[in-house]
């Protein structure tokens, strides 16, 4: 046998999929603590529907959208109507219908947070590039503070994935309730909450939808009195058919989140790896086409001892297709000795 | 008695530019079926068979050397392949080809390598030779002939449109014709590329500089 290529056998390939979690926000920060918006976006046509949130000033080159805030109301409250002659149809009703369709899949069913049904919702879709494939369960710590009443304190929310025995599913995949607590652990002080971590009368604080990278907040729970687990969160001003409120619900929630300056969340993705086992046998790969392996122009080996006891050093592994095209390549961290008395086993990992 | 070393060396591989192209083509060409080993970066003159401390130290100056990371350019990797030859081989296969190739615009050339020091005195390898030009734009014709396997024919009929991409063909001979396109030259009078030839059975490799000269 001669040559430089050795064919793999089916036993040489193993495919493995591993879940990898990592920090979510730009700059590999586990906590988003600075929040900015773009006046251009806010005052543009998309600003009627949602508000993009950046980690730095939006005019800086390093700025990137981290998440968005979109308020939805089935009755169209919270923004002026598209047409004064048509009541109840506004950007907020469009947003509500959008999330209703995506998550519930039924235009006649409202969101049920805990045991409370709500026709309002705040959606916080995370930028896709941030969360990669899914939100990592048990990593959420979102602190919200009432921007108008600092005496109401703040509340930190997390998901109840650590306490769920049977995972619930929606049209948008897995769903978990938002509860009082942090990093997947329920708050130790539940004097104002139910034993599940919900508000006492307004249900859970919302939903975590990890598979679509979205957090839905329950406005009713946030608006509940502090004694009932809420923070008295209610919008100032109200929209009419012909006028926007003096502060939009999206901007109001932005102030509530940016004022607390703490939004922790991790991402998760499944990485499929192809493990290829490279097995050079004792009789293989003991000579080299390296120009320093030969002396002169006629191909004699460099040392006479190399005739019967050649010694090579493996530095590089090439993976080829049938037409000898080099598809992937791996380098060893140090040369690996090879001769007629040695065999080697190298596992090459190829990520997709 | 000591413990045997049962650890498996694990290394991470990266896709080459050719691998990414094969993935993009989605024609089944991204199918890893074989491997080869190389000893790029190794200088065997550092190997010392006269080391005073004995044979365990012959490779001392080599085994601890740091290695560079892999380059994604396929033409820059696996330059010096390790090869399997019978024990007792005194001379390694080498390719007999022109030392360089100079062509005028539109001029043709046939390259037919011969492998010296190969089994039984054969000078042509039955699996043919793999030819890779570093910039295919220099050639209006670049085709391998003489190997009729389906995989070789598939490779030889693949055309890639783009900027400064390499092209690989397989054959016992290579037919080349220099480009007639003037715009490639810009203000230059000559264009340069590299032709790499690898014996598919022996692993012998040679790299030839190619010059294409503008004629008008």
């Amino acid at each position: 046998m001669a040559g430089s290529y050795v064919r793999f056998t089916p036993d040489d390939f193993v495919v493995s999929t591993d879940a990898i979690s990592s920090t979510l926000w730009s700059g590999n920060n586990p906590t988003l603590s600075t929040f900015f918006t773009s006046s251009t976006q806010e005052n543009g046509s998309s600003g009627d529907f949602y508000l993009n949130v950046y980690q730095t000033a939006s005019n800086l080159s390093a700025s990137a959208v981290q998440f968005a805030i979109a308020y939805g109301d089935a009755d169209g409250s919270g923004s002026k109507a598209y047409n004064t002659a048509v009541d109840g149809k506004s950007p907020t009703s469009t947003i509500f219908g959008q999330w209703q369709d995506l998550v519930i899949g039924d235009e006649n069913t409202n969101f049920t947070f805990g045991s409370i049904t709500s026709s309002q919702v705040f959606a916080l879709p995370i930028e896709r590039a941030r969360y990669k494939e899914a939100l990592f369960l048990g990593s959420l710590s979102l602190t919200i503070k009432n921007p108008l009443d600092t005496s109401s304190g703040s509340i930190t929310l997390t998901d109840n994935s650590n306490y769920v025995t049977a995972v619930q599913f929606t049209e948008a995949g897995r769903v978990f309730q938002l509860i009082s607590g942090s990093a997947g652990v329920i708050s130790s002080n539940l004097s104002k909450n139910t034993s599940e971590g919900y508000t006492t009368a307004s249900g859970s604080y919302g939903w975590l939808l990890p598979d679509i990278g979205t957090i839905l907040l329950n406005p009713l729970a946030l608006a509940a009195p502090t004694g009932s687990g809420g923070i008295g969160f209610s919008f100032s001003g109200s929209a009419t058919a012909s006028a926007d409120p003096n502060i939009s619900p999206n901007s109001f929630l932005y102030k509530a989140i940016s004022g607390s300056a703490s939004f922790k969340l991790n991402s998760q993705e499944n990485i499929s790896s192809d493990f290829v086992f490279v097995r050079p046998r004792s009789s293989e790969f003991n000579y080299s086409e390296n120009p320093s392996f030969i002396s002169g122009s006629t191909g004699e080996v460099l040392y006479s001892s190399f005739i019967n006891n050649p010694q090579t050093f493996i530095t590089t592994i090439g993976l080829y297709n049938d037409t000898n095209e080099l598809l992937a390549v791996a380098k060893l961290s140090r040369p690996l000795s090879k001769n007629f008395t040695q065999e080697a086993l190298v596992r090459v990992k190829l990520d997709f | 008695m000591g413990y045997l070393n049962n650890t498996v060396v694990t290394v991470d591989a990266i896709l080459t530019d050719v691998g990414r192209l094969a993935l993009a083509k989605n024609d089944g060409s991204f199918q890893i079926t074989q491997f080869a080993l190389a000893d790029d970066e190794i200088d065997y003159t550092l190997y010392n068979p006269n080391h005073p401390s004995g044979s365990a130290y012959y490779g001392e100056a080599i085994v601890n050397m740091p290695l560079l990371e892999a380059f994604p350019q396929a033409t820059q990797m696996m330059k010096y392949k390790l090869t399997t030859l019978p024990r007792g081989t005194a001379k390694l296969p080498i390719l007999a080809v022109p030392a360089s190739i100079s062509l005028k615009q539109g001029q043709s050339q046939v390259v037919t390598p011969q492998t010296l020091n190969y089994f039984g005195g054969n000078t042509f390898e039955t699996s043919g030779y793999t030819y890779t030009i570093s910039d295919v734009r220099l050639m209006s014709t670049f085709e391998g002939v003489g190997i009729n396997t389906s995989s070789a024919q598939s490779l030889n009929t693949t055309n890639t449109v783009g900027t400064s991409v390499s092209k690989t063909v397989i054959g016992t001979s290579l037919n080349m014709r220099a480009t007639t396109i003037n715009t490639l030259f810009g203000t230059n009078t000559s264009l340069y590329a590299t032709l790499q030839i690898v014996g598919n059975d022996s692993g012998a490799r040679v790299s030839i500089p190619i010059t294409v000269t503008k004629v008008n």
Side-chain angles (χ1 to χ4, degrees):
Chain A
M1 161 148 192
S4 296
Y5 301 94
V6 171
R7 293 195 72 79
F8 287 111
T9 65
D11 291 341
D12 293 329
F13 294 95
V14 174
V15 177
S16 173
T17 301
D18 299 305
I20 306 294
S21 64
S22 63
T23 53
L24 186 142
W25 308 117
S26 292
N28 292 324
N29 287 320
T31 304
L32 188 62
S33 55
T34 56
F35 301 80
F36 296 85
T37 58
S38 163
S39 58
T40 304
Q41 188 265 327
E42 187 174 6
N43 297 326
S45 59
S46 65
D48 293 336
F49 296 90
Y50 63 89
L51 191 61
N52 277 335
V53 180
Y54 302 77
Q55 88 285 19
T56 64
S58 61
N59 59 344
L60 298 180
S61 60
S63 69
V65 175
Q66 305 298 298
F67 65 94
I69 299 173
Y71 175 70
D73 187 298
D75 300 323
S77 296
S79 61
K80 69 178 181 182
Y82 293 118
N83 189 319
T84 53
V86 180
D87 194 26
K89 299 300 179 188
S90 73
T92 62
S93 64
T94 298
I95 290 292
F96 187 85
Q98 178 184 40
W99 289 99
Q100 193 181 34
D101 181 74
L102 184 67
V103 178
I104 301 174
D106 180 354
E107 73 278 13
N108 297 312
T109 303
N110 288 334
F111 293 91
T112 302
F113 299 113
S115 58
I116 301 298
T117 299
S118 174
S119 59
Q120 309 162 34
V121 67
F122 272 112
L124 275 63
I126 310 296
E127 178 74 2
R128 215 294 303 166
R130 304 280 88 75
Y131 75 86
K132 298 182 178 68
E133 199 170 294
L135 302 178
F136 186 55
L137 298 178
S139 66
L140 174 65
S141 297
L142 171 60
T143 303
I144 301 175
K145 181 189 294 184
N146 187 340
L148 297 179
D149 183 6
T150 54
S151 64
S152 299
S154 62
I155 187 168
T156 301
L157 305 178
T158 189
D159 62 83
N160 70 343
S161 58
N162 288 333
Y163 306 99
V164 171
T165 53
V167 176
Q168 302 292 311
F169 283 84
T170 66
E171 292 296 317
R174 296 169 295 169
V175 59
F176 298 91
Q177 303 290 334
L178 295 186
I179 61 175
S180 175
S182 64
V185 178
I186 194 169
S187 172
S188 59
N189 179 9
L190 293 176
S191 61
K192 301 171 185 174
N193 299 88
T194 67
S195 60
E196 299 160 303
Y198 301 169
T199 60
T200 54
S202 303
S204 74
Y205 294 93
W207 287 355
L208 177 74
L209 300 161
D211 298 324
I212 61 168
T214 298
I215 295 168
L216 298 183
L217 293 177
N218 176 9
L220 298 178
L222 299 179
T226 53
S228 302
I231 54 173
F233 179 94
S234 59
F235 321 133
S236 64
S238 59
T240 66
S242 58
D244 276 325
N246 51 16
I247 181 167
S248 72
N250 294 340
S251 296
F252 198 70
L253 181 61
Y254 168 73
K255 288 178 181 294
I257 293 175
S258 60
S260 60
S262 181
F263 191 174
K264 295 181 181 178
L265 194 56
N266 282 356
S267 66
Q268 178 182 324
E269 64 179 331
N270 292 324
I271 294 183
S272 294
S273 300
D274 204 352
F275 288 102
V276 184
F277 290 91
V278 174
R279 311 169 202 261
R281 308 297 296 269
S282 61
S283 61
E284 298 170 340
F285 301 109
N286 295 318
Y287 293 88
S288 172
E289 291 294 334
N290 190 312
S292 69
F293 195 85
I294 60 177
S295 66
S297 58
T298 56
E300 295 103 338
V301 294
L302 179 63
Y303 303 111
S304 58
S305 62
F306 277 5
I307 296 174
N308 286 308
N309 296 301
Q311 175 68 60
T312 56
F313 296 91
I314 304 167
T315 63
T316 314
I317 298 169
L319 306 179
Y320 291 82
N321 61 9
D322 276 337
T323 54
N324 296 346
E325 290 180 296
L326 181 60
L327 303 178
V329 66
K331 288 292 289 281
L332 301 178
S333 59
R334 53 186 289 187
L336 187 62
S337 175
K338 179 73 184 73
N339 57 44
F340 273 105
T341 65
Q342 290 178 318
E343 294 195 347
L345 173 57
V346 182
R347 186 174 64 175
V348 179
K349 185 176 176 218
L350 197 55
D351 290 334
F352 290 96
Chain B
M1 186 178 77
Y3 290 104
L4 292 173
N5 182 1
N6 63 350
T7 56
V8 176
V9 179
T10 302
V11 292
D12 289 327
I14 63 166
L15 293 185
T16 64
D17 51 352
V18 175
R20 288 198 299 270
L21 180 62
L23 270 178
K25 285 194 291 189
N26 194 29
D27 60 356
S29 58
F30 190 88
Q31 185 79 35
I32 294 171
T33 58
Q34 51 186 350
F35 73 91
L37 305 177
D39 58 5
D40 299 0
E41 302 180 48
I42 299 295
D43 177 3
Y44 282 93
T45 61
L46 297 172
Y47 188 80
N48 182 6
N50 302 313
H51 196 290
S53 299
S55 57
Y57 294 87
Y58 289 177
E60 176 185 55
I62 294 176
V63 292
N64 292 316
M65 68 180 286
L67 297 175
L68 297 172
E69 289 183 313
F71 310 126
Q73 287 81 15
T75 54
Q76 300 303 316
M77 296 299 297
M78 302 296 293
K79 288 184 173 178
Y80 309 123
K81 290 189 181 70
L82 301 184
T83 186
T84 300
L85 294 168
R87 197 166 192 166
T89 299
K91 288 186 176 181
L92 293 174
I94 56 174
L95 298 183
V97 291
S100 63
I101 296 174
S102 294
L103 300 174
K104 294 178 180 175
Q105 272 184 293
Q107 185 181 354
S108 297
Q109 169 127 4
V110 178
V111 177
T112 305
Q114 292 185 336
T115 306
L116 308 180
N117 307 331
Y118 199 48
F119 287 124
N122 291 335
T123 54
F124 299 103
E125 302 188 24
T126 53
S127 298
Y129 300 84
T130 299
Y131 309 86
T132 302
I133 188 167
S134 57
D135 186 352
V136 73
R137 296 177 304 169
L138 270 64
M139 297 295 152
S140 59
T141 301
F142 188 80
E143 59 182 12
V145 295
I147 298 294
N148 297 318
T149 61
S150 58
S151 58
Q153 288 183 333
S154 170
L155 185 64
N156 293 349
T157 54
T158 298
N159 286 316
T160 303
V161 178
T163 61
S164 184
V165 292
S166 64
K167 180 174 174 62
T168 299
V169 297
I170 292 176
T172 53
S173 295
L174 171 69
N175 292 338
M176 292 190 299
R177 182 169 183 266
T179 182
T180 55
I181 299 174
N182 283 333
T183 52
L184 270 180
F185 289 83
T187 58
N188 302 314
T189 56
S190 297
L191 296 175
Y192 303 93
T194 302
L195 175 64
Q196 178 182 298
I197 305 174
V198 178
N200 289 337
D201 293 328
S202 69
R205 174 192 181 279
V206 67
S207 191
I208 307 170
I210 295 180
T211 305
V212 176
T213 306
K214 191 176 182 182
V215 294
N216 51 33

